[in-house]
Amino acid sequence: MRFAVALLALSQLYGQDILRVSRRSSAPATFKSIRTNSGAGGGTTIATSATMNVAAGDFIVVMALGLSFAVSGIVCGADTLTEVKSTTDSGVGLGMKTFIKQNASANASATCTATFGGSATNRFIVAANYSGVATSGGALNTSCNDASCSAIAATSTSRTAQNVTTTTARTLMIGVGLNVAINQTVTGANSFTPRLTADYLFLNDKSVSVTGSYPAGNFGTVATTDQYVSHFIVVALL
């Protein structure tokens, strides 16, 4: 009782809604939907094969890749996304990029489209949206499967990325990428939840409430050894 009275007095004194701040949500992010697509032939764009119901303020993450030409930009509905991570493996001509949009515009039938710098082959795209993510601030931490973001990972059953050290307690963490040769399910590891099954693409996520070094091991595993390429993205929660 005394604590509530003190908060009310402070809010009146400083003209700030301290009561609202003190009750800020401690809930994790809410996963809403995921959409994918792939194209084997040459093309300068690729779009998700189904639409997403995006509410105002949602968070959108999109990964796209292709051979020969890298992604030059991604739009979802009326929103232009911001690039936060890029991998270029010149040995195989692979270019993979991850983009995000915080505080997305409402769109009940949003399609995400990636544009390449030229006619790219073996194009892939995966897009997901969430609620409960901060509406500004950008990506707090990012990493790739290798320190220089310049190579496909060696054959393994693990799906992971370079560790990052977080300084914000409440965050959403996303491990996203591609199984190079085998269409198979990436299961969750270390409390990460898989959002795709039986696909070359994978996206695993989890919300955390403490700072530390992450992903601190695998965020996923596969049954059959295969090469892969991954990005790890950390954003703040509301």
Side-chain angles (χ1 to χ4, degrees):
M1 181 65 179
R2 291 179 180 176
F3 179 67
V5 171
L7 281 174
L8 180 60
L10 285 171
S11 68
Q12 292 173 340
L13 177 63
Y14 291 104
Q16 298 173 351
D17 192 357
I18 294 177
L19 284 175
R20 180 177 59 82
V21 172
S22 70
R23 296 169 183 165
R24 184 167 52 185
S25 172
S26 59
T30 299
F31 169 78
K32 298 181 71 174
S33 66
I34 191 163
R35 302 290 185 262
T36 67
N37 201 6
S38 61
T44 57
T45 64
I46 188 167
T48 50
S49 58
T51 61
M52 296 191 301
N53 186 353
V54 177
D58 274 5
F59 171 75
I60 303 173
V61 58
V62 183
M63 183 278 284
L65 63 87
L67 296 180
S68 301
F69 289 94
V71 178
S72 58
I74 294 178
V75 296
C76 294
D79 289 328
T80 299
L81 278 65
T82 300
E83 180 184 331
V84 295
K85 208 62 184 174
S86 176
T87 293
T88 301
D89 187 330
S90 57
V92 297
L94 178 145
M96 175 174 129
K97 294 185 179 182
T98 298
F99 291 66
I100 66 170
K101 175 62 180 179
Q102 293 174 287
N103 198 23
S105 304
N107 190 329
S109 57
T111 298
C112 296
T113 302
T115 300
F116 295 85
S119 184
T121 59
N122 295 316
R123 291 159 291 130
F124 291 87
I125 187 170
V126 55
N129 65 316
Y130 300 79
S131 62
V133 175
T135 56
S136 62
L140 302 178
N141 306 89
T142 63
S143 71
C144 303
N145 52 273
D146 69 306
S148 62
C149 298
S150 62
I152 294 171
T155 298
S156 173
T157 57
S158 300
R159 297 294 176 265
T160 189
Q162 300 291 304
N163 283 337
V164 298
T165 300
T166 64
T167 56
T168 299
R170 299 187 61 254
T171 56
L172 170 66
M173 300 182 172
I174 298 172
V176 61
L178 176 81
N179 300 309
V180 172
I182 301 174
N183 185 333
Q184 60 180 321
T185 297
V186 175
T187 59
N190 292 314
S191 299
F192 280 84
T193 300
R195 302 301 182 182
L196 288 170
T197 58
D199 205 314
Y200 286 103
L201 297 162
F202 57 85
L203 188 151
N204 292 13
D205 62 55
K206 76 172 177 179
S207 297
V208 302
S209 58
V210 294
T211 60
S213 180
Y214 297 96
N218 298 352
F219 55 71
T221 58
V222 294
T224 305
T225 58
D226 187 15
Q227 289 183 286
Y228 71 97
V229 57
S230 71
H231 287 165
F232 188 63
I233 311 298
V234 180
V235 290
L237 297 178
L238 288 174

